[in-house]
Amino acid sequence: MSTIISKAGPSTSTSKPSTSTSKPSKQSKPPRLKPERPVWDEEPGAAAKAGKFIVLAVVVLAVLGPLYTIVLTSISSQATITQAGGLVLVPGEISFAAYQQILSGGVVTRAVLVSVGVTATGTALSMVVSILCAYGLSRPGSFAHTPILFTLLITMFFSAGIIPSYLLVSGLGLINTYWALILPSCISVFNIIILRGFFMGIDRGILDSARIDGASEWRTLTQIVLPMSKAVTAVIALFYGVGYWNAFFNAVLYINDSAMNPLQVVLRSYVLQGVSVPGQVDVGTGAAAGPALQMAVIVLAMVPILIVYPFVQKHFTKGVMIGAVKG
């Protein structure tokens, strides 16, 4: 009986070290290291923050400095402008005679109305055509999908030139009409590609569900696709609107009647070429100086874009990036 116990004892004693030796093996595993973050994700130091602040401050001053000078000169009196030597940097006597002369009637007022009408009509027409074209090209199996897309891409790199374009507009009878300011710039292939990329990125199951429920392509576009594409459509509308508002070459090329000129043509001839603008009403002794009138025209050209841009800014980065990455 004792021998049995003695034989069993060592067996139990030898089993303990095996368990004790197994524990260090678990503790000896090296700790898992966290993946290192890239340099641009690291928290910048004090010197880097100071450098960024200085760069951003210089950029802001470079943008706001000329704008401040233009606005201040446009609302300064003739004596203040003469004392400053042309452009006013220090506020002096304030006078709104320049805006009174411009907005009291004449070429500038009509040019503003022409620019507003062309921009609103052109932007609406361009958005309708671009959305329809981009949606059709984004649907697999659409009619002549590849040839149409290939033809559009060719126009991004090759153009007919000024003379063939003029002959085409003249042949269509659009010379000296407002349509000559809209139709030649109606379609931008770049904007269509952005819209197409966004439409292709929409979940296919959503569109298939709409078709199963009996929705037509038109209803799918208007009630499903467009409400999901507010960001990219707002950005594309801004692109078209700024393009129509700033365009002057089509007016110089196709418009012969000076009464039909948009604001940018008047701005170019009056500010850059020094041509006097006829049709202004004299306000007597409070008449504005030449630099004040020039700066007032520039301010009127900038105001609509400055008003619209803050409402579209929140969609700008999101709309462009999504449209460029997806598809």
Side-chain angles (χ1 to χ4, degrees), residues 4 16 23 25 45 77 103 105 139 143 158 168 174 176 182 193 201 247 263-264 273 275 317:
I4 296 174
K16 290 182 179 179
K23 290 182 179 179
S25 62
S77 63
L103 299 177
R139 297 302 94 200
F143 176 75
F158 304 98
L168 175 61
L174 300 179
N176 214 33
I182 298 175
I193 296 301
L263 180 60
Q264 301 303 328
Q273 298 179 352
V275 178
T317 304

Side-chain angles (χ1 to χ4, degrees), residues 1-226:
M1 191 71 180
S2 60
T3 56
I4 296 174
I5 296 175
S6 63
K7 290 179 180 179
S11 63
T12 55
S13 62
T14 54
S15 61
K16 290 182 179 179
S18 62
T19 56
S20 62
T21 55
S22 62
K23 290 182 179 179
S25 62
K26 296 181 180 180
Q27 297 178 355
S28 62
K29 290 183 179 180
R32 298 181 63 183
L33 298 177
K34 294 182 179 180
E36 295 183 359
R37 294 188 300 177
V39 178
W40 53 83
D41 283 343
E42 296 291 341
E43 182 69 21
K49 291 182 179 179
K52 291 180 180 179
F53 176 79
I54 294 174
V55 172
L56 291 176
V58 171
V59 173
V60 170
L61 291 177
V63 173
L64 295 182
L67 182 61
Y68 164 79
T69 304
I70 290 172
V71 174
L72 186 59
T73 304
S74 68
I75 61 175
S76 297
S77 63
Q78 183 173 358
T80 303
I81 295 175
T82 303
Q83 183 179 1
L87 297 177
V88 181
L89 298 178
V90 180
E93 183 181 357
I94 302 299
S95 173
F96 294 95
Y99 293 97
Q100 185 178 353
Q101 284 185 249
I102 289 175
L103 299 177
S104 59
V107 174
V108 177
T109 304
R110 181 174 180 82
V112 171
L113 296 178
V114 171
S115 293
V116 171
V118 169
T119 301
T121 306
T123 302
L125 181 61
S126 297
M127 288 300 297
V128 171
V129 175
S130 298
I131 289 175
L132 293 177
C133 181
Y135 180 73
L137 293 176
S138 66
R139 297 302 94 200
S142 57
F143 176 75
H145 175 278
T146 303
I148 293 176
L149 181 60
F150 185 71
T151 304
L152 291 176
L153 292 177
I154 289 178
T155 61
M156 294 183 63
F157 306 101
F158 304 98
S159 62
I162 296 177
I163 296 178
S165 299
Y166 181 85
L167 294 177
L168 175 61
V169 173
S170 177
L172 294 175
L174 300 179
I175 297 295
N176 214 33
T177 64
Y178 289 120
W179 287 112
L181 303 178
I182 298 175
L183 295 182
S185 306
C186 183
I187 296 178
S188 171
V189 179
F190 175 77
N191 295 337
I192 291 177
I193 296 301
I194 292 180
L195 286 169
R196 175 179 176 270
F198 186 89
F199 292 158
M200 292 180 65
I202 296 177
D203 189 2
R204 185 74 178 272
I206 299 177
L207 304 180
D208 292 340
S209 299
R211 292 191 183 94
I212 293 174
D213 292 338
S216 62
E217 290 289 348
W218 178 257
R219 187 174 182 181
T220 302
L221 173 62
T222 56
Q223 297 187 7
I224 297 178
V225 175
L226 289 182

